Amino acid sequence: MKKLLSLVALGACLSFGAAQAQDKAPAPVVVAPAATPATPATPAAKAPTAQQSKMTTCNQEAGDKKGDERKAFMKSCLSAKPAMTAKQTQQQKMKTCNADEKAKTLKGDARKAFMKECLSAKA
């Protein structure tokens, strides 16, 4: 009889321990990240991208707008084309002048003179 009670008590203890073990979440498995030698030491040293700069500008312009009004404003602000810059204008001029038939046939100093005149004439 004592053996039977001992076995029942032992069985009950083991079943309670198993039930508690199931309630606990498993310990997270930690995996060491692979070494990346190309990663910069300080990510804050990077210059903001054009999109990040645009986002900053739009946020400042949005001011105190809230909710749907702010969403609509940010959508229109972020989707707006950037203003034409001097660099873009120069690229457009170069493209136009290089596409000219006369530029395709000229070589050397004659081409230089034509390109100089063409680029200064395009406004």
Side-chain angles (χ1 to χ4, degrees), residues 51-103:
Q51 182 66 20
Q52 290 170 331
S53 298
K54 195 172 191 181
M55 184 67 125
T56 302
T57 304
C58 289
N59 270 327
Q60 290 171 350
E61 290 175 12
D64 293 333
K65 294 178 179 164
K66 303 254 188 236
D68 291 337
E69 181 185 10
R70 182 180 176 83
K71 281 183 188 177
F73 173 78
M74 291 298 285
K75 183 177 181 179
S76 65
C77 181
L78 292 172
S79 64
K81 298 281 185 198
M84 196 67 136
T85 63
K87 184 176 180 183
Q88 290 170 329
T89 304
Q90 185 67 17
Q91 288 173 345
Q92 292 291 351
K93 287 180 186 180
M94 287 293 286
K95 192 180 262 188
T96 305
C97 291
N98 279 323
D100 194 325
E101 285 298 316
K102 188 174 178 184

Side-chain angles (χ1 to χ4, degrees), residues 26-48:
V29 178
V30 178
V31 178
T36 54
T39 306
T42 56
K46 290 183 182 178

